[in-house]
Amino acid sequence: MKNSSVKKIAVLAGDGIGPEIMVEALKVLRKIEEIFEHKFEFIEGLIGGSAWEKYGEHFPKETVAIAESSEAILFGSVGGPIDKQMEPKWKNCETNSILAIRKKFNFNVNLRPVKLYSALKNSCVLRADIVEKGIDMLCVRELSQDVYFGKHDTSGDVGSRHAFDEMSYDEKVIEAIAHAAFKAAQLRKKKVTSVDKANVLNCSKLWREVVTGVAKNYPDCVLEHVLVDNMSMQVIRRPGDFDVILMPNMFGDIISDEVSVFAGSLGMLPSASLNAQGFGLYEPSSGSAPDIAGKGVANPIGQILSAAMMLKFSFGMNREHDAIVNAVEKTLMDGFRTGDIADGGKFVSTNEMGTRIAENLVKELLRG
Ligand code: IPM
Ligand code: MG
């Protein structure tokens, strides 16, 4: 396939393990360029603590400009060590960078696929008889409202202080995310599990009503509603029963971390954040992991699979996406493991894992 147009990609590696796993994702993308005859232009920008060092800001205007002039954003991770959160470099780093960028581009749809590769069955925390059915779910998290973006305040004097965080939802916003969930379900097992707390919260009552209404447009899909507390239990008891899990921002944050362990490690997981115009940001779920940064032991797979999602959702490159997923699967089948998914297989560094995946890309295609 020949594609002469250059795809401009903002590369925001960030902090901690971000830069080292990003190198591996770019390595894989360069190989994709070569094999499929594409042209990618990577424009690097600083964000998070690394941006603060140079600009005294976590999301400087230089980085905003890079993101604005690109067709997609490949994001690493931001944030510093827990015990340094009060230092200016790290204070409110996540809010000022990742939440700011979500807000800036109005990313409202967050997709977090969680799949247990058969090669990693032994790394899964769940009992073998529970994972027998396989685990392959997609968390669809609303990303632009909820308690995250409501008013926040703390007032009063020590001893009698009061804090509040406002939770709110607009019907239109719920409608949009519900459509995204059903559309995704149509390409999968056609089941949507919507999570809320409709026995208590007004936001959730509205959520349930609107989602039920949207479901009427998708008669080929099954919809079920599950309360969030019950869901946190069901998803562990019977993970194989879930396909698309539709969630408001806060519950989506929590449940998506819960189910992420099913994949063997947080380091395995990619994500996509999309806006109504189809512009997207792609980031691994692993976070900046400052404790292992710079040691060459981080798992680059979540970042590599995020790059694959970018190819699919931003550029419609489905074959290229599948080629990367197959190469990851092959590398795992061959027994190669970073520390987080170690199960007695062959231990490899961050760099070696990336190289093997890139090499398997070639092999996959020659075979196919
Ligand atoms: C995530 C993260 C963020 C969130 C933090 C870093 C603000 O936990 O992407 O899930 O809560 O959305
Ligand atoms: Mg989270």
Side-chain angles (χ1 to χ4, degrees), residues 136-359:
D136 185 357
M137 50 181 83
L138 174 68
C139 295
V140 178
R141 170 186 173 194
E142 200 291 320
L143 207 58
S144 68
Q145 290 200 337
D146 205 341
V147 68
Y148 274 76
F149 295 102
K151 290 195 194 96
H152 306 277
D153 198 24
T154 307
S155 56
D157 301 321
V158 176
S160 59
R161 281 170 296 176
H162 173 73
F164 80 89
D165 302 279
E166 179 188 75
M167 176 186 275
S168 70
Y169 256 113
D170 290 327
E171 184 161 0
K172 287 273 171 272
V173 171
I174 303 172
E175 239 174 67
I177 192 75
H179 279 291
F182 282 104
K183 289 203 169 98
Q186 283 184 319
L187 302 174
R188 299 172 48 99
K189 286 175 265 165
K190 301 187 168 55
K191 179 175 176 189
V192 174
T193 304
S194 175
V195 176
D196 63 36
K197 187 72 185 169
N199 52 347
V200 179
L201 302 173
N202 277 1
C203 285
S204 283
K205 288 179 183 139
L206 180 63
W207 179 275
R208 194 175 276 219
E209 213 181 297
V210 174
V211 171
T212 304
V214 170
K216 301 207 164 74
N217 300 291
Y218 304 89
D220 53 333
C221 293
V222 173
L223 167 67
E224 65 177 4
H225 299 280
V226 182
L227 294 173
V228 63
D229 46 353
N230 186 21
M231 184 64 181
S232 67
M233 177 176 74
Q234 298 301 337
V235 84
I236 288 182
R237 292 182 58 198
R238 46 185 187 92
D241 285 352
F242 298 101
D243 178 22
V244 170
I245 307 178
L246 166 62
M247 295 171 284
N249 205 350
M250 183 67 157
F251 301 153
D253 177 44
I254 299 166
I255 301 280
S256 67
D257 263 25
E258 184 188 359
V259 298
S260 72
V261 291
F262 301 163
S265 160
L266 211 49
M268 291 295 300
L269 297 171
S271 78
S273 302
L274 309 169
N275 69 16
Q277 290 73 45
F279 184 60
L281 176 147
Y282 303 85
E283 60 176 326
S285 300
S286 48
S288 61
D291 51 321
I292 57 162
K295 296 186 177 154
V297 297
N299 184 349
I301 294 179
Q303 186 79 64
I304 291 170
L305 292 174
S306 298
M309 286 186 91
M310 174 184 77
L311 297 182
K312 177 169 172 169
F313 291 100
S314 285
F315 305 135
M317 297 177 180
N318 294 339
R319 272 186 72 211
E320 293 79 343
H321 165 273
D322 295 350
I324 295 177
V325 173
N326 291 342
V328 166
E329 195 146 23
K330 167 88 171 65
T331 309
L332 294 172
M333 288 304 270
D334 289 344
F336 296 103
R337 302 283 187 271
T338 42
D340 58 322
I341 46 173
D343 58 359
K346 300 162 212 156
F347 180 80
V348 287
S349 64
T350 307
N351 175 313
E352 199 179 338
M353 181 61 101
T355 303
R356 289 194 178 271
I357 292 169
E359 279 169 1

Side-chain angles (χ1 to χ4, degrees), residues 50-82:
S50 58
W52 192 92
E53 295 228 308
K54 179 159 178 198
Y55 301 102
E57 282 177 74
H58 291 117
F59 185 30
K61 61 178 187 314
E62 288 78 359
T63 304
V64 174
I66 289 174
E68 276 174 341
S69 66
S70 304
E71 288 158 86
I73 303 171
L74 191 56
F75 195 91
S77 52
V78 287
I82 292 291

